[in-house]
């Protein structure tokens, strides 16, 4: 009960984070034209730095552009400025918008109201950078939502999902002040500080949530470190968006900007050193993707802390592009190298997303070409064109889906497809088997190959009604199972695969799935399977494939039993005929002797 409640609460939390991330992203997108349109984008008010003193948020003016409206207001380098409203210090202004500030010069203060002027040009790669950032945030939201929803049972994967959902929750600086929500602004600031701190929990828990040695020690200590980081971030941004600056919290957060990447890489490297085989390969992919993201994050923070020795705008463009490429690489690794098993639903979602994107692009292109060359200038022609395009989509969907499915399966899900094909091939060959004992061994071996060595035990019904173990690679199974055992009753009642959740007990400790072999409602045999590698639940498509194979092989066992009975009946008939012939011969001899 606690587990299901925990999962439900976690999924609700994941959905809430996704809603907040999408809300902030929508606010940012609505304000994007203010910054990406020449003549609308406002000129920077000043270049300066924050005064690291406790009290009202204050900035020192280091330099002013000749086009800045502050020049006409009498502001000079060295002056100090305070914004009338806290959110204004983070907003990028559009031309024509007014704002009020307090000018502090020595012991005197005065209030100035200025109107933002238009910037003469856009920053290099402004549009491309904005698209890159938006794509990266969308990928993060989708990845976090999928991982958080599909894999709620692991602490490490919860941390990864939370990081992916916290990363896009940032202050929407492109949006006008009227579109800002104060509480969302605070959440955006806190998430920007703790997001990568949460990722450290993933590094210390992956792959099995059972860290040992130094990783276990670091995990125990880091819980307290992260708690302090969370408290400092909430207090700092809460006060900042109320108009006050807290230097102690600011310095603490800068320390965490260095501590978090160091602990992340320490945790992953220690896990890599202890790992072997496929797990080590997965960790290498994590280092090559999430490691690059963490290193880029750390570089940006250190550059800011050092006073921007690397110019901020070029570094931001390169960093954002690196983020997006690393995210795409991570998603590729998840699908292609099975860093996490996200089930068949992700496969289907990916296929339909690609098909939808292709069809949408084709429709837009066809509509644009038709409008250009066919001169669709009235409503009737437009309706006819839309109907033709809709018919084309309907006729091409299935063929396009099959083509995309082949490509996706070949690129990302080849191992799944190959294992299913191998199991289907075995089922076809099993029809030719003539020895039940040999088929027992072959079936167990085929199931082990399909499940990656999870273990399998095969039980056959005996004359007394109980079930005896015939062949097994699963440790801990008994030699005999009673006909009234809960698992047997569940298999007979449901006539399909059952799990420990559906059958309260299983005959073997650690068995995760039971497969029935039925004929006309009679349970002739059943197979017990161990937990899948990584202790993840069997996917619905895996259960369906295994159940189908067990069902067909059960028919083969029944057919061999019928053939054995037919051979026995034939042998008995032959023996009876021989006995009758011998009896007839004896009777003839007896009559002849009596007549003599």
């Amino acid at each position: 009960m606690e587990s299901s409640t925990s999962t439900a609460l976690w999924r609700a939390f994941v959905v809430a984070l996704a809603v907040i991330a999408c809300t902030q992203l929508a606010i940012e997108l609505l304000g994007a034209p203010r910054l990406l349109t020449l003549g609308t984008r406002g000129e920077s008010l000043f270049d300066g730095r924050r005064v690291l003193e406790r009290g009202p948020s204050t900035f020192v003016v280091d330099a002013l552009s000749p086009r800045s409206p502050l020049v006409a207001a009498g502001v000079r380098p060295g002056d100090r400025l305070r914004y009338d409203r806290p959110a204004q210090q983070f907003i990028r202004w559009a031309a024509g918008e007014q704002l009020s500030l307090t000018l502090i010069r020595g012991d005197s203060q005065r209030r100035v109201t200025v109107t933002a002027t238009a910037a003469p040009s856009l920053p290099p790669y402004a549009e491309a950078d904005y698209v890159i950032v938006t794509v990266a945030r969308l990928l993060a939201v989708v990845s976090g939502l999928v991982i958080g929803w599909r894999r709620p049972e692991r602490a490490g994967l919860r941390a990864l999902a939370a990081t992916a959902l916290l990363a896009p929750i940032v202050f929407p600086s492109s949006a006008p002040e009227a579109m800002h929500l104060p509480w969302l602004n605070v959440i955006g600031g806190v998430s920007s500080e703790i997001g990568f701190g949460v990722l450290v929990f993933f590094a210390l828990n992956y792959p099995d949530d059972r860290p040992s040695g130094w990783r276990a020690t670091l995990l125990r200590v880091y819980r307290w470190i992260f708690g302090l980081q969370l408290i400092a971030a909430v207090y700092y941004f809460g006060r900042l968006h109320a108009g006050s600056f807290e230097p102690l919290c600011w310095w603490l957060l800068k320390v965490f900007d260095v501590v978090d990447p160091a602990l992340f890489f320490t945790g992953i490297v220690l896990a890599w050193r202890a790992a072997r085989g496929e797990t080590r390969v997965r960790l290498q992919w994590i280092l090559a993707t999430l490691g690059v993201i963490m290193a880029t994050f750390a570089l940006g923070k250190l550059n800011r802390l050092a006073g921007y020795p690397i110019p901020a705008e070029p570094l931001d463009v390169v960093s954002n592009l690196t983020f997006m490429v690393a995210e795409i690489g991570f998603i590729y690794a998840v699908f292609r190298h099975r860093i996490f098993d996200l089930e068949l639903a992700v496969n289907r979602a990916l296929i339909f997303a690609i098909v939808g994107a292709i069809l949408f692009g084709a429709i837009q292109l066809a509509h644009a070409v038709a409008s250009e060359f066919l001169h669709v200038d009235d409503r009737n022609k437009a309706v006819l064109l839309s109907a033709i395009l809709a018919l084309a989509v309907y006729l091409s969907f299935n063929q396009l889906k099959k083509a995309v499915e082949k490509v996706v399966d070949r690129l990302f899900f080849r191992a799944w497809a190959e294992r299913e094909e191998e199991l289907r091939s075995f089922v076809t060959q099993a029809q030719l088997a003539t020895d039940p004992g040999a088929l027992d061994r072959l079936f167990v071996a085929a199931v082990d190959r399909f499940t990656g060595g999870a273990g399998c035990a095969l039980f056959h019904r005996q004359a007394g009604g109980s079930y005896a173990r015939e062949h097994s690679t699963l440790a801990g199974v008994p030699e005999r199972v009673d006909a009234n055992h809960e698992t047997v009753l569940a298999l007979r009642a449901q006539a399909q695969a059952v799990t420990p959740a559906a059958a309260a007990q299983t005959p073997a400790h650690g068995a995760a799935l039971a497969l029935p072999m039925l004929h006309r409602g009679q349970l002739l045999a059943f197979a017990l399977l161990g937990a899948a590698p990584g202790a993840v639940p069997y996917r619905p498509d895996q259960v369906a494939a295994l159940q189908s194979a067990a069902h067909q092989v059960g028919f083969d066992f029944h057919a061999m039993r019928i053939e054995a009975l037919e051979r026995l009946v034939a042998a008995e008939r032959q023996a009876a005929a021989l006995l009758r012939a011998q009896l007839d011969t004896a009777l003839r001899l007896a009559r002849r002797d009596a007549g003599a």
Side-chain angles (χ1 to χ4, degrees), residues 45 78 82 169 185 190 226 287 296 307 392 428 460:
L45 295 178
R82 290 177 187 163
I169 304 177
N185 291 340
V190 173
F226 179 76
L287 270 174
T296 305
T428 302
H460 284 278

Side-chain angles (χ1 to χ4, degrees), residues 10 13-14 17 144 148 157-168 195 198-199:
W10 167 251
F13 177 69
V14 165
L17 284 183
L157 295 185
R158 285 187 178 190
L160 178 63
T163 299
L165 291 170
L166 287 170
V198 176
L199 191 60

Side-chain angles (χ1 to χ4, degrees), residues 220-243:
R220 286 194 297 271
V221 174
Y222 185 69
R223 291 191 180 103
W224 295 97
I225 295 175
F226 179 76
L228 179 60
Q229 181 180 9
L230 178 60
I231 293 172
V234 171
Y235 183 72
Y236 173 75
F237 284 101
R239 295 287 293 162
L240 190 65
H241 285 278

Side-chain angles (χ1 to χ4, degrees), residues 373-417:
F373 294 100
L374 299 180
H375 304 293
V376 182
D377 51 4
D378 62 60
R379 182 181 179 185
N380 292 332
K381 291 182 179 179
V383 171
L384 178 61
L385 176 60
S386 299
I388 293 173
L389 292 176
L391 179 62
V393 169
Y394 174 77
L395 295 176
S396 61
F397 179 82
N398 284 332
Q399 296 302 319
L400 181 60
K401 177 179 173 293
K402 291 178 181 179
V404 171
E405 189 171 8
K406 289 181 180 178
V407 173
V408 169
D409 285 343
R410 188 180 303 114
L411 181 60
F412 296 118
F413 301 92
R414 180 180 298 176
W416 293 2

Side-chain angles (χ1 to χ4, degrees), residues 439-594:
L439 185 56
D440 285 341
R441 294 189 294 274
L442 292 173
F443 175 76
V444 171
V447 170
D448 279 344
R449 288 194 300 271
F450 181 80
T451 60
C456 177
L458 188 59
F459 291 80
H460 284 278
R461 189 176 66 181
Q462 303 302 300
S466 63
Y467 294 83
R469 187 188 69 202
E470 299 295 339
H471 189 69
S472 173
T473 59
L474 181 61
V477 292
E479 293 185 2
R480 190 172 295 273
V481 177
D482 187 75
N484 293 311
H485 193 280
E486 283 186 90
T487 299
V488 175
L489 296 178
L491 289 171
R492 292 172 58 189
Q494 299 183 28
Q496 62 182 3
V498 299
T499 64
Q505 299 177 0
T506 53
H509 176 70
L513 191 67
L515 304 172
M517 295 181 177
L518 296 150
H519 181 70
R520 292 188 175 182
Q522 296 185 357
L523 184 65
L524 304 179
F526 66 88
L528 287 177
L529 276 64
V536 297
Y538 286 100
R539 301 188 311 271
D541 66 305
Q542 289 178 317
V543 174
L546 288 166
Q547 186 170 270
S548 176
H551 184 67
Q552 185 58 52
V553 172
F555 282 153
D556 297 332
F557 279 125
H558 180 70
M560 282 190 284
R561 186 172 297 177
I562 296 300
E563 290 175 359
L565 289 174
E566 289 178 347
R567 288 194 297 269
L568 180 61
V569 169
E572 293 293 337
R573 287 176 177 175
Q574 186 177 2
L578 179 60
L579 288 174
R580 282 196 297 271
Q582 291 175 345
L583 181 60
D584 290 341
T585 301
L587 289 174
R588 285 197 299 271
L589 290 175
R591 293 191 191 100
R592 188 182 64 183
D593 292 341

